[in-house]
Amino acid sequence: MHDIRFIRDNPDQFDAALKRRGIDPVAGTILKIDSKRRGLQARLQEMQSRRNQASKEIGARKAKGEDANALITEVNDIKQQMPQMESEESILAEQLDSWLMGLPNLLDDAVPAGDDENDNELVRSHGSIPTFSFTPRDHVEIGEGLGQMDFALGAKVSGARFVVLRHQLARLERALAGFMLDLHTSEFGYVETIPPYLVNTQTMTGTGQLPKFAEDLYRANDKWLIPTAEVPLTNIVAGEIVDAKTLPLRLTAHTPCFRSEAGSAGRDTRGMIRQHQFSKVELVSITTPIDSAAEHERMTACAEAILQKLELPYRVVRLCTGDTGFSAHQTYDIEVWLPGQNEGRGMYREISSCSNCGPFQARRMKARFRDDNGEAHFVHTLNGSGVAVGRAMIAVLENGQQGDGSVRLPAVLHTYMGSELITAA
């Protein structure tokens, strides 16, 4: 959500910032609504004050036996006018709120210009791309060959973009999540949390999923299924004023995530790359404005550490203006190498997005901190995948595949799995 005071003071700067996202100038429209609303508010305050004053005068005149009819008429006229003006003010407030809630976050100056993922900026790469003596298979062929990944059964039970995992692959999902949580809590200081998987509309609105992205969400009566644990974790501070000494607040959670993928129809229809239900280990940080940039780098490094310990090659890219999400001020994507994709030629695919949202979500949630002088300021919120469990499984399968159809596991998973290999069931 945007600060109307900033727009009042910097309309040209606001429009220029939104232009980077391809949005036409809107400050003039917003300020016209704001000005009309403020005028009505001032007029209502004047009328309220006059009504109170006149009511006192009526009492005083009646006490003296004087005529108060003119004042009574004036008060009645004010009472008749105010409901209509209050209704107009309420409509303008809703229009203003709709504008401020519906526009995306302003981008960091470091975000490169570009239209889509092809214009993202390479920041760094890690690890060596593996070579094989055979044409690498994708995870679908590997999993089905092991007899432990069943998309037909998933479709039978639930429809397209669902899968049933069995035996070692079911255990692998649990092992990956456990490994990620153990690392983030023991080495990086995140607090493991189990949040609700169903949230209310206010919570979804607080992090920016609503109202703009309703079609990508699943609803259950008056609740919404979470598309990411970012939603409940970040909203823990909604409506609060936290002590600056308690920041940064770092939380992690392993949850199922539910997305209708309405905006991605026809994309990644094969396999587990893009499903309606998947699990993810999420990282959320709540911090002060002065520390948020450093926290963003730290969070990204925490997600990278997962891939390093899983011995997976990856690269980090800074998303361009056309690819940065609605609530983000700046985003790093971590893309893991998947050798079985692109008909065995391999390609990088996103496995984590780490975003600094600045105060954008905090304004929507009314989440603040109190500094040493007792003044309240909006917190900065950050979120990142640490990492997507299903895509980590895909990467482990495709990078560890062997010629005989088995999969060699990274050393860090041996204890979790009780085995060094995944073999046919």
Side-chain angles (χ1 to χ4, degrees):
M1 185 173 182
H2 295 286
D3 184 354
I4 186 61
R5 292 171 297 180
F6 177 83
I7 302 174
R8 289 173 192 153
D9 295 339
N10 308 277
D12 293 339
Q13 184 179 343
F14 184 74
D15 280 341
L18 287 180
K19 185 178 181 181
R20 298 187 68 206
R21 284 190 178 265
I23 297 175
D24 293 333
V26 294
T29 300
I30 292 172
L31 292 178
K32 186 179 294 184
I33 297 170
D34 178 54
S35 177
K36 189 172 181 179
R37 182 196 179 201
R38 294 170 78 190
L40 274 174
Q41 288 176 323
R43 179 63 181 142
L44 282 166
Q45 289 175 355
E46 291 172 0
M47 293 173 73
Q48 180 70 44
S49 177
R50 176 55 189 157
R51 186 181 69 178
N52 293 341
Q53 181 184 1
S55 296
K56 290 180 181 179
E57 291 178 12
I58 289 170
R61 289 194 180 189
K62 285 185 175 181
K64 295 177 182 179
E66 298 176 357
D67 181 22
N69 287 335
L71 287 173
I72 291 172
T73 299
E74 181 183 0
V75 168
N76 288 336
D77 287 344
I78 290 174
K79 287 181 178 179
Q80 290 178 355
Q81 294 177 47
M82 286 186 69
Q84 177 62 32
M85 295 179 66
E86 287 170 345
S87 176
E88 291 177 13
E89 191 276 335
S90 178
I91 291 172
L92 289 170
E94 290 178 4
Q95 291 177 355
L96 183 61
D97 193 54
S98 178
W99 273 106
L100 297 179
M101 296 280 275
L103 291 168
N105 199 354
L106 304 185
L107 298 173
D108 189 287
D109 290 341
V111 176
D115 296 327
D116 53 35
E117 60 187 19
N118 296 312
D119 297 319
N120 293 337
E121 175 188 298
L122 178 63
V123 177
R124 57 184 170 271
S125 298
H126 180 90
S128 301
I129 292 174
T131 58
F132 299 88
S133 59
F134 53 91
T135 301
R137 301 174 293 275
D138 71 0
H139 65 283
V140 178
E141 189 175 351
I142 296 169
E144 291 181 338
L146 291 167
Q148 301 176 38
M149 183 180 290
D150 196 328
F151 292 96
L153 185 54
K156 172 186 174 181
V157 172
S158 299
R161 298 200 182 195
F162 290 92
V163 66
V164 174
L165 301 175
R166 296 191 184 96
H167 302 297
Q168 285 178 292
L169 290 192
R171 182 168 183 169
L172 179 58
E173 171 141 340
R174 176 161 54 93
L176 284 165
F179 157 66
M180 295 174 196
L181 288 173
D182 288 346
L183 187 67
H184 290 314
T185 54
S186 65
E187 291 196 23
F188 303 137
Y190 287 88
V191 176
E192 185 173 354
T193 308
I194 300 178
Y197 304 156
L198 288 165
V199 297
N200 57 35
T201 295
Q202 182 178 352
T203 297
M204 278 291 196
T205 303
T207 43
Q209 278 73 23
L210 290 176
K212 188 175 179 63
F213 302 106
E215 68 171 5
D216 283 322
L217 304 172
Y218 284 111
R219 190 163 193 171
N221 298 322
D222 64 336
K223 300 292 191 295
W224 302 83
L225 279 71
I226 60 169
T228 164
E230 168 204 345
V231 177
L233 292 182
T234 307
N235 273 277
I236 283 175
V237 295
E240 303 289 337
I241 301 178
V242 299
D243 189 335
K245 294 183 178 63
T246 66
L247 302 178
L249 176 63
R250 297 181 178 125
L251 305 172
T252 186
H254 170 229
T255 69
C257 303
F258 306 91
R259 299 181 186 178
S260 74
E261 298 291 352
S264 303
R267 291 183 59 193
D268 299 317
T269 55
R270 177 176 169 81
M272 292 177 59
I273 292 287
R274 195 179 300 274
Q275 294 198 297
H276 293 310
Q277 174 189 309
F278 59 96
S279 71
K280 183 155 65 82
V281 171
E282 186 73 1
L283 306 175
V284 163
S285 292
I286 313 295
T287 188
T288 59
I290 196 171
D291 292 326
S292 69
E295 187 70 15
H296 191 200
E297 301 296 330
R298 182 187 189 276
M299 176 180 284
T300 306
C302 292
E304 287 183 71
I306 295 293
L307 302 187
Q308 291 169 13
K309 290 183 179 296
L310 289 174
E311 305 167 28
L312 297 171
Y314 68 88
R315 66 184 184 185
V316 178
V317 299
R318 193 194 317 268
L319 299 195
C320 70
T321 54
D323 202 27
T324 302
F326 179 84
S327 295
H329 180 54
Q330 182 180 196
T331 298
Y332 292 122
D333 265 11
I334 304 174
E335 299 176 341
V336 69
W337 178 254
L338 301 180
Q341 303 297 301
N342 195 22
E343 298 181 346
R345 293 187 293 273
M347 64 188 300
Y348 285 102
R349 295 302 303 261
E350 176 205 336
I351 195 170
S352 171
S353 283
C354 296
S355 298
N356 184 353
C357 298
F360 184 80
Q361 293 177 326
R363 287 196 191 94
R364 300 169 78 99
M365 298 185 302
K366 297 180 174 56
R368 295 176 290 172
F369 73 96
R370 198 176 301 282
D371 64 19
D372 293 339
N373 297 320
E375 296 182 4
H377 309 273
F378 287 111
V379 298
H380 279 201
T381 63
L382 302 95
N383 63 81
S385 307
V387 295
V389 178
R391 293 197 179 188
M393 178 186 292
I394 292 170
V396 167
L397 294 178
E398 294 194 9
N399 282 277
Q401 62 182 295
Q402 306 295 300
D404 62 0
S406 65
V407 176
R408 184 165 298 281
L409 293 166
V412 74
L413 293 180
H414 292 175
T415 300
Y416 290 91
M417 291 292 294
S419 174
E420 298 181 6
L421 282 175
I422 294 177
T423 55

